[in-house]
Amino acid sequence: FTPGMWLEEESLGQMFSVSRTPVREALRRLAAQGTVEIRPRQGVIVTKMNDTRVIQTLEVIAELEAATARLAAQRMTDAEREHLHAVNEELTDIIRQGSRAGFDRHNERLHTAIRLGAHNDIMADSVTQMRQRVLPYTRAERMESVEQMNISHAQHQAIVHAVVEGHGELAYQMMRVHVMQAGQLAEDGNATPAAD
């Protein structure tokens, strides 16, 4: 659903083959996250964010993701480090195939592995919620070319190495730059920034 789009409970219920009650609950949760706005006597609309607001949200995401990378470098178990390394290696194969959809999925898996490795549920939930706020603005702006995927993957390689080797501050700095530069990729193409 695109920003500014009106959402109707009945249509959503039909689309997902559910009654209006779970739709209402889902919309309340999305409103709490800031993804939609519930307007009394008007309905529900997908939240619109201007470029400044998206960039500000991206800055918060970058700080939170960087903090999770630092904590992951300090707290990850050996098994979690091996899993992170394996996910990163799978990305190499996906880039060779030029699969943008595969890249998006594995990119999220990699970031999730780092968030979980931080062993801080509140921080992980905060990152997830913030990313949900900008998702309507970023889905179409994900990595468009193999070159962009290669740039992102090179950054992933450095972040994963820092995390696996336990270099918390280096992981923090690299993740922060990575998330902010991912936003710049789309911005350079005169689109709203992408959140990695």
Side-chain angles (χ1 to χ4, degrees), residues 8 22 24 46 49 55 76 89 100 108 112 142 170-171 173 179:
E8 297 177 1
R24 238 179 256 127
V46 179
M49 295 175 79
I55 290 168
M76 266 189 167
E89 289 304 307
R100 179 181 160 199
E108 183 56 33
T112 298
R142 296 288 175 108
L170 183 59
Q173 294 299 331
V179 174

Side-chain angles (χ1 to χ4, degrees), residues 39-163:
R39 298 181 176 176
R41 293 181 296 281
Q42 293 180 12
V44 180
I45 187 171
V46 179
T47 303
K48 291 182 182 180
M49 295 175 79
N50 62 32
D51 286 351
T52 301
R53 187 79 171 170
V54 173
I55 290 168
Q56 289 172 349
T57 305
L58 180 65
E59 289 170 344
V60 173
I61 293 168
E63 289 297 328
L64 289 172
E65 290 262 29
T68 62
R70 178 171 45 210
L71 289 177
Q74 299 165 356
R75 298 177 176 176
M76 266 189 167
T77 66
D78 289 341
E80 288 171 328
R81 291 173 199 273
E82 287 175 21
H83 173 70
L84 177 62
H85 182 71
V87 171
N88 193 45
E89 289 304 307
E90 289 171 20
L91 266 171
T92 302
D93 294 334
I94 287 167
I95 291 170
R96 280 192 201 115
Q97 298 164 11
S99 171
R100 179 181 160 199
F103 183 90
D104 284 349
R105 281 192 305 275
H106 274 71
N107 179 59
E108 183 56 33
R109 282 185 62 208
L110 185 137
H111 282 265
T112 298
I114 292 171
R115 287 194 293 269
L116 294 175
H119 296 276
N120 185 318
D121 294 341
I122 295 170
M123 190 176 287
D125 289 345
S126 297
V127 171
T128 301
Q129 288 178 11
M130 295 301 290
R131 288 174 69 96
Q132 288 296 321
R133 287 184 187 180
V134 295
L135 189 61
Y137 303 88
T138 61
R139 184 173 300 280
E141 303 303 336
R142 296 288 175 108
M143 301 301 162
E144 294 287 347
S145 69
V146 172
E147 180 184 358
Q148 289 175 332
M149 289 189 286
N150 280 324
I151 291 168
S152 182
H153 186 50
Q155 293 171 345
H156 286 156
Q157 299 274 50
I159 293 164
V160 168
H161 180 75
V163 169

